[in-house]
Amino acid sequence: MIAYDVLILGSGLAGQSLALRLADKLKVALVTKRSLEDSASAWAQGGIASVLDPSDSAEAHIADTHTAGAGLCSDKTTRFVVENGPRAIRWLIDHGVPFTPDASSPVGYHLTREGGHSARRIIHAADATGAAVQATLTEQVRAHPNIAVYEQHIAVDLIIGRKIGHADEGCLGAYILDIASDEVRTFSARHTVLATGGAGKVYLYTTNPDTATGDGVAMAWRAGCRVANMEFIQFHPTCLYHPQAKSFLISEAVRGEGGLLRRPDGSRFMPEHDAREELAPRDIVARAIDFEMKKHGLDCVFLDISHKPAELLESHFPNILARCLELGIDITQQPIPVVPAVHFSCGGIVTDLRARTDVAGLHAIGETACTGLHGANRLASNSLLECLVFGEAAAADILANPRELAASLPQWDESRVTDADESIVISHNWEELRRFMWDYVGIVRTNKRLQRAQHRIRLLAREINEFYSNFRVSNDLIELRNLVVTADLIVRSALQRKESRGLHFSRDYPQTLPKARDTVLRPRR
């Protein structure tokens, strides 16, 4: 048994910032499926939204968040995050994150504007903010003597006292597979934190890394936690459309700096869909693109910023410029082919303002949690802010509430399983799941499509659970098992919502109900 004060599953901004906040006082294990650098946080381009300019206000940021969230954001949570945002940004600056400077700005840093924001409040590091933040923190995480990093490790499941007859009924740690050795190890912890990110890989097209397989939500659900608002899957409007470009995002900031969406004939279409045009919230822009593509039989639409000075594009979007040039697209002269792709899960594990879940000793932070901040649609650049603020909240709660360490835990039992005889089953099921989720649970939904998806999910779940019961676990099998649970929760939530709101648009229920309600699912204990 391997024992720590705190076990953190996930190495994005939420997990790493929490580890650094705790490590001066506690022994921390940071577990990640690949390397520390592999996370959705590292892929974030635009920046972090926070009220830094004196001409801006917390009330304006709160109002913008509520507007984007289509009436479903928790006012208490939104205010908590926005008001704690400036301190979180200062923490990053103090840790050496190289945000883009601007001598003419009252805050000394360049602030950009993105869709849904009423002011320039996005602090950024050129067009690779996530990479800059992650690189800075990763160096410090690796150097800290109290943080043990376990790369190439994936959690199989949480260890819940109630399920093993332990006096402490809460979370006692996790079973974790060492991918390199195929050995499942028992990790005991006073506190366990899920910071596993989103579930984009449940869909065929996504801007997420391959690690985004809904692990945290699935493990928490099996442990007895409520999940909420899983139907709200954000499709980023502008993912690069090119056969050689996998999951490459064209930042929201391109539209924030004047980029225009055009049909292949060069005509604009956003003015026909929303008064805010290209700066409308993501759900509106994604639906508009989806409508245009279906109406005109298009493979993609085009995002054009070639009318802006080349110097501006070189200074603000160097990575986008370079990547597009590699593919033969000069964005200073040509429009960029784009399509919508799954980007963010607004729902997740129900947590409070201290990042606590329904299970004692178990916290959840980042995209895997449903804090109430995002409502029915996340406002651009609020996600990294949420990671930071709730990482700090979780750290304060963990430090204030010490728990006993389990003296002993049952080891992982492989005595009744064998090596898998047909691993091809896993890859086939994965492909089938991702394709029908894209076809039936996409940007526009109907009851019939959702019911078809649910029927297929139930068939797959039976097959995968049988496979899990009879064969040794592998990284692919663990991820597939979690994806099927997550897909089921998304479809169940979508079927419960009898309206269209934010990211959930149903042809059967096109109206928005007068009262906004969360979709909360409760597992059977």
Side-chain angles (χ1 to χ4, degrees):
M1 191 172 77
I2 305 168
Y4 288 93
D5 294 317
V6 184
L7 171 63
I8 302 172
L9 305 177
S11 65
L13 178 57
Q16 289 201 29
S17 64
L18 173 62
L20 287 170
R21 289 181 184 278
L22 293 172
D24 287 343
K25 295 182 179 178
L26 300 174
K27 295 282 187 183
V28 178
L30 189 60
V31 174
T32 182
K33 291 198 282 188
R34 294 196 177 174
S35 70
L36 277 186
E37 292 81 4
D38 280 310
S39 70
S41 298
W43 290 25
Q45 293 176 344
I48 308 173
S50 187
V51 177
L52 304 173
D53 192 314
S55 66
D56 195 8
S57 70
E59 294 305 319
H61 190 178
I62 291 166
D64 291 344
T65 301
H66 278 296
T67 299
L72 201 62
C73 302
S74 159
D75 188 61
K76 192 175 179 183
T77 303
T78 305
R79 190 167 294 279
F80 175 76
V81 173
V82 168
E83 290 180 351
N84 284 284
R87 188 170 71 251
I89 299 298
R90 176 53 56 188
W91 184 85
L92 286 180
I93 292 170
D94 290 345
H95 277 73
V97 174
F99 291 114
T100 298
D102 182 355
S104 65
S105 166
V107 297
Y109 295 97
H110 184 266
L111 302 178
T112 191
R113 184 180 173 190
E114 296 181 348
H117 288 275
S118 58
R120 286 183 171 266
R121 65 169 69 100
I122 318 299
I123 190 169
H124 61 100
D127 62 346
T129 306
V133 171
Q134 284 290 96
T136 304
L137 297 191
T138 294
E139 184 180 350
Q140 295 168 38
V141 165
R142 289 195 188 279
H144 204 293
N146 276 356
I147 302 175
V149 176
Y150 291 86
E151 295 174 301
Q152 302 296 322
H153 283 67
I154 180 172
V156 182
D157 235 336
L158 299 170
I159 302 173
I160 305 300
R162 169 176 49 81
K163 294 187 175 185
I164 60 172
H166 198 279
D168 183 340
E169 295 189 347
C171 184
L172 307 176
Y175 293 115
I176 294 174
L177 173 70
D178 179 342
I179 297 169
S181 68
D182 280 336
E183 177 190 355
V184 177
R185 298 174 177 175
T186 305
F187 279 67
S188 172
R190 302 177 197 276
H191 300 271
T192 302
V193 184
L194 296 169
T196 52
K201 297 303 286 189
V202 80
Y203 284 91
L204 190 60
Y205 302 111
T206 177
T207 64
N208 291 180
D210 290 342
T211 52
T213 51
D215 303 330
V217 168
M219 285 190 288
W221 177 256
R222 290 193 293 264
C225 296
R226 289 170 298 154
V227 300
N229 296 342
M230 291 294 291
E231 69 270 37
F232 296 116
I233 303 294
Q234 187 176 75
F235 288 75
H236 196 288
T238 55
C239 184
L240 179 62
Y241 179 75
H242 193 282
Q244 295 168 24
K246 180 187 175 186
S247 308
F248 188 76
L249 188 67
I250 304 301
S251 170
E252 189 101 7
V254 173
R255 283 180 287 127
E257 293 295 336
L260 303 174
L261 285 162
R262 301 185 187 277
R263 302 181 183 97
D265 64 3
S267 61
R268 291 180 63 198
F269 56 85
M270 278 311 300
E272 300 166 25
H273 292 271
D274 194 276
R276 290 163 289 188
E277 301 177 351
E278 278 76 9
L279 288 177
R282 289 176 177 175
D283 60 323
I284 293 169
V285 179
R287 271 201 301 277
I289 294 172
D290 184 67
F291 175 86
E292 294 292 332
M293 287 172 61
K294 286 174 177 167
K295 179 181 177 182
H296 300 289
L298 307 175
D299 291 327
C300 65
V301 296
F302 293 88
L303 179 58
D304 185 10
I305 196 164
S306 61
H307 52 282
K308 292 290 183 178
E311 302 79 45
L312 182 143
L313 305 187
E314 289 162 4
S315 62
H316 283 16
F317 309 114
N319 293 286
I320 293 174
L321 182 69
R323 181 63 178 134
C324 287
L325 272 176
E326 287 174 12
L327 300 169
I329 304 164
D330 182 355
I331 70 170
T332 67
Q333 304 290 327
Q334 302 165 260
I336 309 164
V338 294
V339 291
V342 169
H343 185 56
F344 190 85
S345 304
C346 290
I349 307 156
V350 174
T351 59
D352 63 13
L353 292 184
R354 287 185 274 184
R356 297 180 300 186
T357 71
D358 294 331
V359 173
L362 181 66
H363 292 73
I365 53 177
E367 192 175 346
T368 197
C370 183
T371 64
L373 173 65
H374 305 307
N377 181 22
R378 175 176 69 88
L379 181 65
S381 290
N382 268 357
S383 56
L384 295 184
L385 181 69
E386 181 186 42
C387 290
L388 290 165
V389 171
F390 278 97
E392 181 185 23
D397 189 65
I398 288 168
L399 291 169
N401 295 285
R403 295 178 79 239
E404 290 299 313
L405 198 65
S408 64
L409 294 173
Q411 296 300 300
W412 183 254
D413 182 10
E414 288 190 332
S415 61
R416 290 167 292 179
V417 297
T418 60
D419 289 323
D421 54 357
E422 292 184 355
S423 295
I424 194 72
V425 171
I426 296 174
S427 60
H428 281 185
N429 285 351
W430 183 303
E431 300 252 338
E432 183 185 349
L433 174 69
R434 295 180 68 204
R435 185 163 289 283
F436 71 62
M437 284 297 288
W438 182 264
D439 290 340
Y440 297 148
V441 198
I443 294 174
V444 176
R445 299 164 179 175
T446 67
N447 280 349
K448 198 169 186 178
R449 291 176 186 173
L450 293 172
Q451 287 160 0
R452 282 175 178 162
Q454 189 171 58
H455 174 69
R456 283 162 173 77
I457 287 168
R458 285 173 178 167
L459 293 175
L460 277 182
R462 282 199 291 271
E463 191 171 318
I464 292 161
N465 286 334
E466 182 183 350
F467 206 87
Y468 179 80
S469 301
N470 292 307
F471 300 112
R472 286 191 177 88
V473 294
S474 65
N475 180 76
D476 289 348
L477 177 57
I478 293 166
E479 289 185 333
L480 179 60
R481 180 177 180 238
N482 291 335
L483 279 172
V484 168
V485 171
T486 306
D488 179 55
L489 296 172
I490 293 169
V491 173
R492 285 170 60 181
S493 299
L495 282 166
Q496 282 196 22
R497 187 162 293 279
K498 309 298 185 187
E499 64 168 348
S500 289
R501 183 182 296 275
L503 299 165
H504 175 75
F505 183 82
S506 169
R507 282 186 179 160
D508 295 308
Y509 306 102
Q511 77 290 351
T512 300
L513 296 177
K515 187 170 178 61
R517 296 183 184 277
D518 293 317
T519 306
V520 182
L521 302 179
R522 292 173 171 81
R524 287 189 211 134
R525 290 214 172 193

